[in-house]
Amino acid sequence: MPANLITRLLLGGMLAAALPAAPLWAQQQSAESALATARSAADAGRNAEAIAPYREALRQAGEERPDWRLELADQLTWAGDPGAAVTEYRQVIASGRPDLLKKAQTGLGRALARSGAYAPAIAAFDAALALDPADREAASLRAQTLSWNNQQAKAEAAYRALLKSDPSDQRALLGLARVQSWRGRQRAALAMLARLPANPADPDEALTITAEAQQWMGRPDRAAATLRSRLAADPGNGRAAGLLARLERNNRHEARFDARRFDQSDGLDVEQVNLSADYRFADGRGRIGPRLAYAAFDPFKGPGDVFTVTRIGASGGWRASNSIDLNATVSLDRIDPPGQGGAQQFLTYDAYVTLFPSDRWRFDLGVQRFLFDSEPTLRNRLVMDQVKASADFLPNERARISARAAYADYSDGNRQHWWQAEAEQRISLNPRIHVGARYTGTKFRKVNQPGYFSPGEYHSAEATFRLDGQAGQRTYYGLRATAGGERDLGGADRFILSGAFYVRRQLSAAIDLEAAYDYTSSRAASSTGFTRGIARLSLIARF
């Protein structure tokens, strides 16, 4: 066979073999080009821009590429689309590639956590840690997700385990400080933050946790100083500026007007209006303002025989230190009786000091002097002087145990001893739901005095319920309820019930409107009558 014929046959065979491979080669080149574009955008932090070329690279690849899909899932997470990222991570896991499995499980956990699916996220982190127990990234993300899922005790233990193996782990230090602050351990959180170097790796996160802890421990002035210090060093810091603006909004001056209407089973008709204002100074550390009140007491349906009480006073407070808070209200109360009896004035007050020796304990000590609100006590000008004390113990962020006691002297010669014990447990965070139990006891030296409930001895036991939530962006609501039984010396057991409900609407950034109703059927909770209801409408303005 001639040589040139053989050459032609060989060239033709090679061309025939190359023709089907040409499109595949071009497709692979397109995939690689798209992948390069995607990685360039990802490396520059343009996560959303990287998504389309990653998808194009996978389409052009001609085969499943779980390694590329893992990169796409990461970009979806950083671009704020965790739901789509979850789908991609699960496909990577389903591929069975052992070299990608741990990273895919960690990424899946991160995406699930960002989408609010905390329990599955924790399970994904557990799967990653089963593959590599020393994976600090998965362990840190797991601790963070436990905290987001309101499992603060487990989150704290997880962060402490990370710090035990590496005490200098700044991410774990910040995480533990955040958890402690959320658990109401602000002093412990600030002490943990003090372990960070002067220039921490994440200064904005450290700043946020510091300012929040200072504010929540009752020191908005220190929180403001922290934020202003950061802004002085970094004037363009948007996070610090936003936190400071929110803090200043929360510490605006406030004026309040409310009107109340009482409904009592003894027939006493009571109407009351109150006006108050608080001027806040020293970045919210102190407050002072007037208190005005007017109440009309009508014991009969017909005209006349109306008692009025006018109160003019002032109230103030000062956070003396991290451990001491001072508050006092002093008023001059004027009783105007019907007829020609003549008006009479009384100095009344309510002053107390609150002590915070630690994050877990709170003590209140106070003195009080006030008038009663029934027709006989107003006619007799009855005044009570009282010394009171309480202690609250917070074993964790969910529970509270309280003990309260008071001793009172009455101007009619009576004396009262009063005590109460209460325990409460939070069972839900959103909405906040607390359940508990309360025991109350009291005894009087003189019994059955006119105008107020004064048994020789009294005991009550109640179950308690509290709920607070938010309906929409600007509407808040709450419910308080107790139910139980009471008995006074020589009397029969009685079922008692009390409840309160409020709805608060933010009409604007400066104006709130609140409506509420309180009800009680306990004789110990009302000066007269067996049942009492109070309807209230309040207008609150900040300026």
Side-chain angles (χ1 to χ4, degrees):
M1 183 180 293
N4 60 349
L5 180 60
I6 295 173
T7 301
R8 289 173 184 171
L9 289 172
L10 289 172
L11 289 172
M14 293 172 63
L15 179 62
L19 283 174
L24 179 60
W25 179 83
Q27 189 175 1
Q28 289 174 342
Q29 288 297 107
S30 296
E32 293 290 347
S33 176
L35 181 65
T37 301
R39 285 175 171 169
S40 176
D43 290 343
R46 303 191 303 272
N47 310 113
E49 186 181 322
I51 292 170
Y54 266 120
R55 291 195 186 280
E56 178 64 17
L58 287 167
R59 189 182 70 82
Q60 295 280 1
E63 61 176 331
E64 178 57 30
R65 292 299 303 264
D67 50 340
W68 296 2
R69 193 172 295 279
L70 181 61
E71 294 178 35
L72 167 62
D74 288 342
Q75 297 309 303
L76 286 165
T77 300
W78 304 132
D81 192 358
V86 166
T87 300
E88 302 297 337
Y89 282 124
R90 283 177 171 156
Q91 288 193 48
V92 175
I93 293 168
S95 73
R97 282 272 301 268
D99 58 320
L100 304 177
L101 192 55
K102 184 186 73 169
K103 188 173 181 181
Q105 288 285 8
T106 300
L108 175 62
R110 182 190 292 109
L112 286 167
R114 292 190 174 205
S115 63
Y118 300 128
I122 294 167
F125 293 132
D126 286 339
L129 289 167
L131 296 169
D132 181 8
D135 186 345
R136 296 188 67 84
E137 180 185 17
S140 181
L141 289 169
R142 179 180 180 274
Q144 182 183 66
T145 307
L146 285 167
S147 178
W148 289 353
N149 198 35
N150 197 34
Q151 295 177 267
Q152 306 300 344
K154 291 183 177 180
E156 182 170 338
Y159 280 124
R160 290 192 183 280
L162 284 165
L163 288 169
K164 185 177 181 180
S165 59
D166 182 6
S168 64
D169 185 340
Q170 293 190 38
R171 190 174 178 183
L173 284 168
L174 284 171
L176 180 55
R178 186 191 313 108
V179 167
Q180 289 174 324
S181 184
W182 288 359
R183 300 193 78 187
R185 309 289 184 258
Q186 278 76 40
R187 288 175 174 82
L190 294 171
M192 187 62 58
L193 291 167
R195 292 172 54 180
L196 290 169
N199 297 306
D202 191 346
D204 283 348
E205 183 68 9
L207 168 87
T208 300
I209 299 169
T210 299
E212 287 180 345
Q214 290 170 331
Q215 181 182 6
W216 293 342
M217 73 183 294
R219 295 304 305 268
D221 56 316
R222 290 196 169 179
T226 296
L227 295 169
R228 290 183 183 127
S229 174
R230 178 63 177 162
L231 286 170
D234 182 10
N237 192 303
R239 192 169 182 181
L243 287 170
L244 182 59
R246 187 176 67 185
L247 181 66
E248 290 174 341
R249 184 171 60 249
N250 292 339
N251 287 300
R252 286 179 177 178
H253 313 310
E254 182 177 290
R256 182 183 184 110
F257 171 81
D258 68 61
R260 306 185 186 204
R261 173 81 182 192
F262 294 63
D263 178 25
Q264 300 187 168
S265 59
D266 65 348
L268 181 66
D269 187 22
V270 184
E271 294 180 350
Q272 183 178 2
V273 293
N274 302 284
L275 180 63
S276 64
D278 279 315
Y279 170 78
R280 301 184 187 277
F281 56 94
D283 285 324
R285 186 178 181 181
R287 63 172 183 86
I288 190 168
R291 298 291 186 267
L292 304 173
Y294 174 83
F297 301 84
D298 187 353
F300 304 108
K301 297 296 182 183
D305 209 22
V306 176
F307 286 81
T308 63
V309 176
T310 305
R311 176 174 299 142
I312 302 174
S315 182
W318 177 253
R319 187 62 181 250
S321 70
N322 288 348
S323 303
I324 302 175
D325 193 29
L326 305 172
N327 289 274
T329 300
V330 180
S331 305
L332 191 64
D333 292 9
R334 174 190 171 101
I335 301 176
D336 285 291
Q340 303 299 318
Q344 192 168 353
Q345 294 180 342
F346 298 88
L347 180 69
T348 60
Y349 50 82
D350 184 7
Y352 59 94
V353 56
T354 303
L355 307 175
F356 303 93
S358 71
D359 287 329
R360 295 178 183 269
W361 284 97
R362 166 180 172 153
F363 297 95
D364 288 275
L365 304 171
V367 293
Q368 189 176 20
R369 190 171 199 253
F370 62 90
L371 303 177
F372 280 81
D373 54 2
S374 69
E375 186 268 339
T377 57
L378 290 172
R379 189 179 298 278
N380 296 330
R381 283 27 176 207
L382 185 67
V383 180
M384 185 180 83
D385 290 287
Q386 179 175 248
V387 179
K388 53 187 178 178
S390 68
D392 297 288
F393 175 62
L394 306 174
N396 54 56
E397 74 279 9
R398 297 171 179 262
R400 174 180 58 84
I401 301 171
S402 300
R404 309 178 182 99
Y407 170 80
D409 276 321
Y410 292 68
S411 58
D412 63 358
N414 208 352
R415 291 180 180 176
Q416 179 189 12
H417 295 271
W418 177 93
W419 59 94
Q420 187 176 81
E422 184 176 19
E424 189 176 59
Q425 177 78 22
R426 193 186 75 213
I427 60 173
S428 172
L429 186 61
N430 189 22
R432 288 181 177 268
I433 299 176
H434 295 79
V435 297
R438 177 191 301 157
Y439 166 81
T440 305
T442 188
K443 61 181 180 179
F444 287 82
R445 188 176 72 172
K446 294 181 178 181
V447 302
N448 300 324
Q449 293 293 95
Y452 64 98
F453 181 62
S454 50
E457 193 170 326
Y458 169 91
H459 299 274
S460 70
E462 302 164 276
T464 65
F465 175 85
R466 286 197 298 134
L467 178 148
D468 294 281
Q470 187 171 351
Q473 187 175 3
R474 294 185 173 185
T475 303
Y476 302 86
Y477 62 89
L479 174 68
R480 309 285 185 267
T482 68
E486 67 180 3
R487 167 181 279 190
D488 55 88
L489 190 64
D493 291 341
R494 289 183 297 268
F495 175 74
I496 55 175
L497 179 69
S498 67
F501 179 74
Y502 75 88
V503 178
R504 185 165 182 158
R505 174 72 176 175
Q506 292 181 343
L507 303 180
S508 70
I511 304 293
D512 288 4
L513 182 66
E514 183 173 292
Y517 185 78
D518 300 332
Y519 171 85
T520 180
S521 66
S522 172
R523 295 185 67 187
S526 173
S527 297
T528 60
F530 188 60
T531 63
R532 166 186 276 186
I534 307 173
R536 173 174 59 83
L537 188 65
S538 301
L539 187 67
I540 304 102
R542 297 180 182 86
F543 53 94

